[in-house]
């Protein structure tokens, strides 16, 4: 009761103080060229967290300001305006009509991801792309991932109607955690696997302020797995984006999407927002083939069978809510919650997974001020019925071969495989295909920044506690949660050393319970003048083994993680997993060559070591696996003979390779509303085939495609024509990707190769090889119209010419996708 009374008292006191500060400003904002009202312009009190946004008629009002002088900034994508200084007393000051000039603002855009603080795009010491709120609002699709295809240097792939993904600078996989993804400074990854949440995210398109994509290592400031790059999604602040948005979308493949967002300022202290989305549809027709040999029969019985009980329907229900409380004009406390429940198909390096009722939730608290940032958040994940389709199909076939009924074969296929020739002659072994999850993650961070005698300093510390629990379905967790702690400390210092040259030095010290201590440095020089910059940077990145890599226990012990190392029957030791490392040197330029021409280019050289292999059999050349760490394998996997296992799949570190490449991006503005964008990327590598460390599959020889899968096209390019006017907007986007081979676990997509015994459109190992990925040119077209300040209608066609394109392994051919969207934007109920 005392706590409640205290909260009521604080609320009442803040309200009275706000009423006592009765001064304020009002006005109306218009386009300088057309005189038309501009809705959604951010009006911000400089140096504070106070602000508002203009309504449908361009009007705004900001009250509760203390008497005195205030600096007011106006922010709207595609426009610029000088700040204004206003003297406020106890009354409302009417600023009249304020005009904004249209401008191509690429070089002046502010980003936060490169240095963990606001800075101009041209000053950032990294190659960084920005997808802003206007780009997002003008996309006639629920799937924001489609915009990633338009960014330079990104290997964009589409696995179906719902699934999109990205990779940066090589070494892609069907199980790729090397590109860190974050939402509002919060990890957006699964706990046990480290994979990006993808369709499991709780973010709704209408609440995204911008997405920042960094190419290259960012581990010094963000920690492990910001290895190849970083994707940082930043949501809208309700104080500068009030109002209600409702969007409805329809498309082929039975797609339906309904979304909403409401944001409101309740007082000078309190604001909130709430979002929600329900999306459903059906993926393209595609049934993968499962190859299975039943060795219980003499001779062995072979099957090439379709996936069992495949469900191509997908749906997702998710949303978020957040409350913002202003302690004062410069400090906020933000508490948010988000949740998602989804069903869909997911690609892995062991075949596809049927994701069923998988839920991911988070609870997040942040303190934000000019000098201090602190946060704590809890993430939890839950599923009971997700399963590996490939393994379940094999289990089903083993029961059917032995004469079991259809009903019993299907029922037992989730957990067991039958080794025998009849229903009475044989034994059922655990070969569980079901993935259960009840995992948790706790994160905390504190960061401080300041300036002393010309030095800009950022210091921080992060703590992470993973509590993985698969209910013993795919992890070594029969005794309860697998608990792993990790702590990192980081610092960055910047200083102008002479003229317009800024020097940057950063480092991180990271300690992990299982893979130990790592030191991660970063350094750079940036010359910046007149909206142009040249930079030279060095950075180290690490890709940490996931909990699944370290403590996996899949398919009844057929695939086991390597967190302790192994001993073979001849005494050979297989070391436990260590982190994969990359050292990268990059030189780059970005800036306005002319007022209408923006150019961004980089070239890089990387040295990578200790690759994390796909799952390989370490019982080769007649040897058996006898121990995991110091424990006999017969105790690890019940039923294993004392002599050891003749087959055991696990992960190892191996290899060293040098990679290099370049990314070019050019934007030319024919007018402020009409622009052309050209992007091009090149990637290459050097591999020493005489270095036995590069023998990833331990077969005694080094073969590039199999031992060290680069899985990246050498060349790719895109060209776009974009128009974004007051009423009409649209784009034509063309993407070309060169053919390339892809190897990941059992998945193969490669050109014919006599040396490797690979044929196109034929079986290879345990999969069907459709031939190399890439080798296509796609054209996407979109258009939209702002009927008035409240209503917008838009439409889009992806893959306009219906090219049958297969962009990823274990995925359907991507055909034409079309969608239409109707969006209603209602102004805020109250302006503050």
């Amino acid at each position: 009761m005392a706590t409640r009374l205290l909260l009521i008292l604080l609320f009442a006191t803040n309200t009275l103080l706000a009423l006592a500060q009765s001064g304020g400003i009002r006005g109306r904002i218009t386009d300088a060229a057309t005189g038309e009202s501009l809705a959604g312009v951010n009006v911000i009190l400089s140096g504070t967290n106070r602000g508002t946004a203009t309504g449908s008629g361009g009007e705004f009002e900001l009250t509760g300001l203390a008497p005195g002088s205030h600096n007011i900034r106006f922010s709207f994508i595609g426009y610029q305006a000088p700040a204004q200084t206003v003297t406020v007393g106890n009354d409302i000051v009417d600023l009249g009509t304020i005009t904004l000039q249209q401008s191509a603002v690429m070089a002046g855009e502010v980003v936060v991801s490169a240095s963990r603080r606001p800075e101009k795009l041209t000053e950032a010491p990294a190659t960084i792309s920005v997808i802003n709120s206007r780009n997002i609002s003008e996309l006639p699709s629920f799937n924001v991932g489609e915009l990633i295809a338009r960014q330079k240097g990104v290997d964009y792939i589409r696995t179906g109607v719902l699934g999109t993904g990205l990779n940066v600078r090589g070494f892609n996989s069907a199980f790729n955690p090397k590109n860190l993804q974050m939402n509002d400074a919060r990890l957006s990854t699964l706990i046990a696997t480290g994979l990006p949440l993808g369709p499991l995210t709780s973010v709704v398109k209408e609440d995204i302020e911008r997405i920042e994509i960094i190419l290259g290592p960012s581990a010094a400031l963000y920690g492990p797995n910001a290895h190849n790059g970083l994707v940082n999604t930043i949501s809208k602040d309700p104080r500068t984006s009030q109002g209600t948005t409702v969007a409805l979308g329809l498309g082929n493949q039975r797609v339906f999407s309904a979304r909403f967002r409401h944001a409101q300022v309740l007082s000078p202290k309190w604001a909130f927002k709430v979002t929600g989305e329900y999306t459903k549809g059906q993926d393209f027709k595609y049934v993968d083939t499962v190859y299975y040999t039943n060795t219980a029969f003499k001779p062995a019985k072979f099957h090439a069978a379709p996936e069992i009980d495949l469900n191509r329907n997908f749906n997702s229900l998710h949303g978020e809510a957040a409350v913002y409380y202003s302690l004062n004009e410069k400090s906020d406390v933000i508490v948010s919650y988000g949740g998602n429940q989804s069903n869909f198909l997911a690609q892995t390096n062991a075949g596809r997974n049927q994701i069923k009722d998988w839920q991911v939730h988070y609870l997040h608290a942040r303190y934000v001020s000019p000098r201090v940032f602190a946060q704590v958040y809890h993430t939890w994940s839950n599923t009971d019925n997700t399963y590996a389709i490939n393994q379940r199909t094999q289990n089903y076939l083993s029961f059917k071969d032995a004469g079991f009924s259809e009903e019993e074969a299907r029922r037992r296929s989730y957990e067991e495989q039958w080794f025998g020739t009849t229903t009475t002659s044989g034994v059922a072994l655990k070969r569980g295909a079901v993935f259960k999850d009840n995992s948790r993650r706790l994160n905390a961070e504190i960061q401080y920044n300041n300036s002393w005698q010309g030095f800009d300093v950022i210091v921080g510390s992060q703590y992470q506690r993973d509590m993985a629990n698969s209910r013993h379905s795919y992890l070594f967790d029969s005794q309860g949660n697998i608990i792993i702690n990790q702590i990192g400390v980081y610092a960055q210092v910047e200083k102008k050393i002479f003229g317009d040259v800024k020097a940057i030095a950063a480092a991180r010290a990271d300690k992990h319970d299982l893979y130990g201590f790592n030191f991660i440095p970063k350094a750079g020089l940036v010359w910046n003048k007149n909206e142009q910059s040249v930079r030279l940077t060095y950075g180290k990145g690490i890709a940490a083994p996931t909990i699944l890599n370290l403590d996996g226990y899949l398919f009844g012990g057929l695939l086991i993680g390597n967190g302790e190392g192994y001993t073979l029957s001849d005494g050979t030791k297989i070391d436990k997993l260590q982190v994969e490392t990359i050292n990268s040197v990059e030189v780059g330029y970005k800036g306005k060559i002319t007022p209408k021409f923006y150019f961004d280019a980089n070239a890089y050289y990387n040295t990578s070591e200790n690759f994390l292999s796909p799952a390989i059999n370490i019982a080769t050349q007649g040897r058996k696996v006898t121990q995991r760490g110091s424990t006999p394998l017969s105790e690890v996997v019940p039923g294993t003979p004392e002599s050891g296992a003749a087959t055991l799949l696990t992960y190892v570190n191996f290899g060293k390779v040098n990679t290099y490449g370049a990314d070019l991006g050019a934007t030319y503005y024919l007018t402020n509303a009409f622009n052309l964008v050209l992007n091009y990327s090149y990637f290459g590598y050097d591999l020493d085939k005489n270095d036995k460390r590069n023998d990833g599959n331990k077969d005694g020889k080094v073969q590039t495609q199999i031992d060290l899968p680069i899985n990246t096209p050498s060349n790719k390019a895109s060209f776009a024509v974009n128009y974004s006017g007051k009423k009409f907007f649209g784009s034509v986007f063309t993407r070309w990707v060169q053919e390339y081979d892809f190897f990941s676990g059992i998945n193969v997509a490669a050109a014919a190769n006599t040396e490797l015994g690979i044929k196109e459109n034929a079986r290879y190992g345990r999969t069907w090889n459709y031939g190399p990925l890439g080798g296509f040119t796609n054209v996407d077209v979109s258009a939209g119209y702002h009927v008035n300040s409240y209503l917008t209608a838009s439409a889009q066609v992806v893959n306009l010419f219906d090219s049958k394109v297969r962009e990823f392994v274990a995925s359907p051919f991507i055909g034409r996708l079309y969608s239409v969207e109707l969006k209603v934007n209602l102004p805020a109920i109250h302006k503050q």
Side-chain angles (χ1 to χ4, degrees):
M1 179 62 73
T3 303
R4 290 183 180 178
L5 289 174
L6 180 60
L7 289 173
I8 292 171
L9 180 61
L10 286 171
F11 182 80
T13 302
N14 287 325
T15 302
L16 290 172
L17 287 173
L19 292 173
Q21 296 178 343
S22 57
I25 58 173
R26 70 162 64 98
R28 179 172 175 265
I29 298 180
T30 63
D31 184 302
T34 65
E36 295 182 347
S37 301
L38 294 178
V41 179
N42 292 332
V43 182
I44 302 167
L45 195 65
S46 295
T48 76
N49 53 26
R50 298 292 308 283
T52 187
T54 58
S56 59
E59 76 287 348
F60 68 90
E61 183 171 294
L62 183 62
T63 60
L65 303 184
S69 294
H70 297 276
N71 192 272
I72 309 299
R73 293 189 297 111
F74 306 97
S75 174
F76 194 48
I77 296 296
Y79 289 82
Q80 65 180 5
Q84 291 192 20
T85 300
V86 181
T87 300
V88 175
N90 292 322
D91 299 319
I92 302 295
V93 177
D94 193 336
L95 301 181
T97 298
I98 299 162
T99 59
L100 301 190
Q101 298 282 346
Q102 290 191 20
S103 172
V105 295
M106 290 274 302
E109 198 155 10
V110 174
V111 296
V112 298
S113 299
S115 301
R116 301 204 70 162
R117 64 172 181 77
E119 59 188 345
K120 282 188 176 181
L121 180 65
T122 51
E123 297 176 359
T127 298
I128 183 168
S129 298
V130 179
I131 302 172
N132 60 45
S133 58
R134 173 170 284 188
N135 303 145
I136 295 167
S137 67
E138 293 180 353
L139 174 71
S141 169
F142 70 92
N143 198 335
V144 181
E146 294 174 1
L147 290 172
I148 294 174
R150 308 185 183 194
Q151 310 310 308
K152 62 183 174 295
V154 173
D155 293 332
Y156 168 86
I157 55 96
R158 184 156 205 153
T159 61
V161 179
L162 181 67
T164 60
L166 67 91
N167 186 59
V168 176
R169 297 178 178 175
F171 310 110
N172 199 5
S173 167
F175 207 81
N176 185 12
K178 295 181 182 179
N179 294 288
L180 187 64
Q181 297 196 15
M182 305 183 73
N183 293 335
D184 287 332
R186 183 184 68 254
L187 292 180
S188 181
T189 58
L190 288 169
I191 297 158
T193 66
L195 293 173
L197 290 181
L200 290 168
T201 182
S202 57
V203 177
V204 174
K205 169 189 165 185
E206 280 66 32
D207 192 42
I208 300 175
E209 177 66 31
R210 66 186 185 277
I211 301 171
E212 299 179 1
I213 302 173
I214 295 180
L215 308 185
S218 302
L221 295 180
Y222 289 95
N225 297 331
H227 176 274
N228 286 9
L230 170 73
V231 180
N232 188 16
T233 300
I234 300 165
S235 69
K236 294 178 180 178
D237 188 322
R239 295 165 299 193
T240 56
S241 59
Q242 293 187 74
T244 303
T245 299
V246 178
L248 295 175
L250 294 172
N252 62 328
Q253 298 300 126
R254 303 182 184 177
V255 168
F256 169 76
S257 180
R259 306 182 301 278
F260 80 91
R261 177 185 187 269
H262 176 72
Q264 189 169 347
V265 174
L266 300 175
S267 75
K269 292 287 187 179
W270 293 92
F272 78 94
K273 64 179 179 179
V274 60
T275 67
E277 175 176 349
Y278 177 71
T279 294
K280 68 175 183 177
Q282 186 178 79
D283 224 322
F284 293 106
K285 289 183 178 180
Y286 172 67
V287 180
D288 207 355
T289 302
V290 176
Y291 298 97
Y292 167 61
T293 301
N294 193 334
T295 56
F297 289 82
K298 302 299 179 184
K301 195 170 183 179
F302 175 79
H303 292 276
E307 297 168 305
I308 188 175
D309 293 344
L310 181 67
N311 184 355
R312 295 185 290 113
N313 295 322
F314 63 83
N315 59 72
S316 179
L317 176 65
H318 60 269
E320 298 181 318
V323 176
Y324 286 59
Y325 176 72
S326 300
L327 296 171
N328 52 53
E329 288 191 341
K330 296 186 178 182
S331 302
D332 293 327
V333 173
I334 306 167
V335 178
S336 58
Y337 159 80
N340 179 307
Q341 179 172 329
S342 294
N343 298 273
F344 57 95
L345 286 167
Q347 287 66 27
T348 80
N349 52 22
R352 298 200 287 184
N353 286 349
Q354 192 86 57
I355 307 297
K356 298 191 69 175
D357 295 324
W358 197 313
Q359 297 184 36
V360 175
H361 303 262
Y362 76 85
L363 187 62
H364 189 188
R366 288 173 282 166
Y367 170 78
V368 183
S369 73
R371 296 289 177 221
V372 177
F373 170 78
Q375 67 173 344
V376 59
Y377 59 95
H378 180 209
T379 308
W380 61 100
S381 168
N382 188 275
T383 184
D384 288 320
N385 300 309
T386 292
Y387 61 86
I389 306 175
N390 190 289
Q391 184 62 45
R392 188 185 166 218
T393 303
Q394 293 183 56
N395 293 351
Y396 163 79
L397 293 171
S398 73
F399 283 101
K400 289 294 290 182
D401 281 349
F404 286 87
S405 68
E406 179 75 11
E407 180 184 357
E408 185 168 1
R410 288 181 180 274
R411 176 176 55 83
R412 299 181 70 175
S413 65
Y414 289 102
E415 300 291 345
E416 300 172 308
Q417 186 171 325
W418 185 258
F419 287 82
T421 56
T422 70
T423 57
T424 57
S425 176
V427 60
L429 294 184
K430 287 289 186 182
R431 289 291 184 265
V434 175
F435 295 137
K436 299 183 179 182
D437 195 60
N438 187 26
S439 298
R440 302 239 184 307
R441 177 193 287 141
L442 181 65
N443 292 79
E445 178 177 12
I446 187 166
Q447 179 192 116
Y448 177 76
N449 74 88
N450 211 331
S451 298
W452 291 287
Q453 298 181 346
F455 289 89
D456 295 325
V457 180
I458 298 173
V459 295
S461 179
Q462 295 171 316
Y463 170 75
Q464 181 170 313
R465 182 179 179 87
D466 290 317
M467 297 159 279
N469 187 341
S470 75
R471 300 189 182 97
H472 201 43
S473 64
Y474 68 95
L475 297 173
F476 277 111
D477 56 6
S478 58
Q479 304 302 314
N481 290 348
I482 297 174
I483 298 176
I484 299 177
N485 297 294
Q486 175 185 338
I487 189 167
V489 293
Y490 60 87
Q492 176 167 293
V493 179
E494 299 182 8
K495 189 181 190 311
K496 287 284 185 68
I497 53 175
F498 54 86
D500 299 302
V501 177
K502 175 176 65 176
I504 302 160
R508 180 186 182 92
D510 206 83
K511 179 67 171 64
H512 187 281
D513 281 352
L514 292 184
Y515 59 77
F517 175 81
N518 284 277
F519 178 73
I520 310 169
K522 173 184 174 183
L525 294 171
V526 180
W527 172 84
N528 181 270
K529 189 173 184 179
N530 299 328
E531 295 187 320
Q532 298 187 73
S533 71
V534 177
R535 67 188 183 279
L536 173 65
T537 58
Y538 159 77
K540 180 178 180 179
I542 64 174
T546 66
I547 292 176
L548 181 65
N549 296 142
L550 298 166
D551 280 310
Y553 187 87
L554 287 81
F555 315 133
L558 181 63
L559 193 163
I560 303 178
N562 187 9
E564 298 184 14
Y566 289 92
T567 302
L568 305 185
S569 55
D570 65 352
T572 300
K573 299 289 186 180
I574 305 292
D575 292 334
K576 69 179 183 180
L577 292 179
Q578 301 296 322
V579 299
E580 180 180 326
T581 64
I582 183 171
N583 288 279
S584 179
V585 176
E586 181 173 328
V587 60
Y589 164 86
K590 52 190 168 187
K592 283 185 176 181
I593 295 178
T594 71
K596 292 187 175 183
F597 184 38
Y598 180 81
F599 189 67
D600 189 345
N602 70 73
Y604 57 88
Y605 189 87
N606 304 325
T607 301
S608 300
E609 295 185 86
N610 285 333
F611 294 100
L612 184 63
S613 76
I616 64 170
N617 181 20
I618 58 174
T620 59
Q621 301 175 350
R623 300 172 297 183
K624 294 185 176 181
V625 183
T626 58
Q627 289 180 299
R628 182 178 189 263
S630 60
T631 305
L633 199 67
S634 58
E635 296 180 17
V636 177
V637 183
T640 303
E642 292 294 329
S643 60
T647 300
L648 192 148
L649 302 177
T650 192
Y651 308 94
V652 300
N653 291 113
F654 73 98
K656 178 179 180 180
V657 69
N658 300 322
T659 60
Y660 46 85
D663 304 302
L664 309 175
T667 302
Y668 185 77
Y669 291 85
L670 298 170
T671 69
N672 287 320
F674 190 22
N675 65 66
L676 310 175
V677 181
L678 176 66
N679 291 324
Y680 167 76
S681 293
Y682 169 76
F683 179 86
Y685 62 93
D686 291 322
L687 175 68
D688 185 356
K689 292 189 176 183
N690 296 315
D691 187 345
K692 293 302 181 183
R693 291 178 298 174
N694 292 327
D695 181 13
N697 65 351
K698 310 302 180 187
D699 65 355
K701 54 185 176 181
V702 178
Q703 297 169 302
T704 302
Q705 296 97 322
I706 295 177
D707 289 308
L708 194 64
I710 302 298
N711 294 346
T712 295
S714 296
N715 296 278
K716 57 181 179 287
S718 67
F719 177 70
V721 179
N722 304 304
Y723 181 80
S724 182
K726 176 67 177 176
K727 288 288 188 179
F728 177 78
F729 58 88
S731 71
V732 178
F733 173 71
T734 302
R735 178 168 63 106
W736 170 75
V737 179
Q738 187 179 18
E739 278 192 353
Y740 64 101
D741 293 342
F742 194 105
F743 292 77
S744 177
I746 70 169
N747 302 302
V748 176
N753 187 313
T754 304
E755 181 184 356
L756 300 178
I758 296 176
K759 296 180 180 180
E760 291 188 37
N761 293 307
R763 179 191 170 206
Y764 180 76
R766 291 177 55 202
T767 190
W768 185 268
N769 175 31
Y770 288 92
L773 301 179
F776 64 84
T777 300
N778 266 0
V779 178
D780 303 341
V781 178
S782 66
Y785 186 74
H786 298 295
V787 179
N788 51 44
S789 58
Y790 302 105
L791 182 64
T792 300
S794 56
Q796 173 180 265
V797 181
V798 174
N799 190 5
L800 177 65
F801 299 109
D802 200 23
S803 304
K804 297 303 179 185
V805 175
R806 192 164 182 260
E807 296 195 29
F808 209 56
V809 291
S811 301
F813 290 89
I814 306 299
R816 183 186 294 121
L817 282 169
Y818 56 83
S819 58
V820 295
E821 185 171 283
L822 193 66
K823 185 181 297 184
V824 177
N825 289 294
L826 302 175
I829 298 173
H830 299 290
K831 303 298 292 183
Q832 185 70 33

